Amino acid sequence: MLRPIAWLTLAFALASLPACKGDPNTPEYWDKQISSGKKIKERNRILEDLRESKKLSPAFLPMLQQHLASEKQAEVKATIARILGEVKDPSSVQPLVDALDLGNGDTASNAMNKEITTALG
């Protein structure tokens, strides 16, 4: 009688493992969340959640700098620049400078450039 209960318990435990989303204190968790965002608003919401979570530390900087470099949307880059500016780490200067888009004059790029220059200041 004990073995079937043990097998059921083990099966339930294994089935519930994929439901674990990870530790929100790690950059890997937030990297997955940002990468899973399909739309601009969704990625911005995830980034704002990270910003408001007060879990930011220098350990998050490489992940955020990578997203800044690979992101195509100016609105999302602006949010990342705001976060990097709040952390105030010298390692973010070059990625922020590289993200500037001086040749584009649309509204989103202007807002992004403003956030980047504020972060650099």
Side-chain angles (χ1 to χ4, degrees):
M1 181 70 185
L2 185 59
R3 282 192 179 179
I5 293 173
W7 281 109
L8 284 173
T9 304
L10 179 64
F12 178 74
L14 290 175
S16 66
L17 278 178
C20 297
K21 294 194 179 223
D23 182 11
N25 294 320
T26 64
E28 293 80 18
Y29 170 84
W30 290 100
D31 184 35
K32 279 185 188 178
Q33 295 296 314
I34 296 166
S35 297
S36 70
K38 303 281 188 247
K39 297 183 180 186
I40 296 169
K41 287 183 179 181
E42 188 176 354
R43 289 194 305 274
N44 272 337
R45 181 193 51 79
I46 293 166
L47 286 163
E48 287 297 331
D49 289 347
L50 170 61
R51 188 173 148 260
E52 293 169 3
S53 74
K54 306 295 182 201
K55 296 176 191 221
L56 281 173
S57 69
F60 285 81
L61 293 178
M63 180 268 300
L64 290 169
Q65 293 164 355
Q66 177 195 14
H67 278 283
L68 181 66
S70 65
E71 182 60 49
K72 304 272 189 266
Q73 300 299 322
E75 295 91 343
V76 179
K77 281 186 169 190
T79 305
I80 296 170
R82 185 177 314 116
I83 294 169
L84 291 174
E86 288 176 1
V87 175
K88 296 183 189 326
D89 190 272
S91 70
S92 297
V93 171
Q94 192 58 47
L96 285 165
V97 169
D98 293 342
L100 282 169
D101 185 9
L102 302 176
N104 200 340
D106 66 354
T107 306
S109 292
N110 287 340
M112 175 194 69
N113 287 335
K114 181 181 175 189
E115 286 294 339
I116 290 173
T117 55
T118 301
L120 288 168

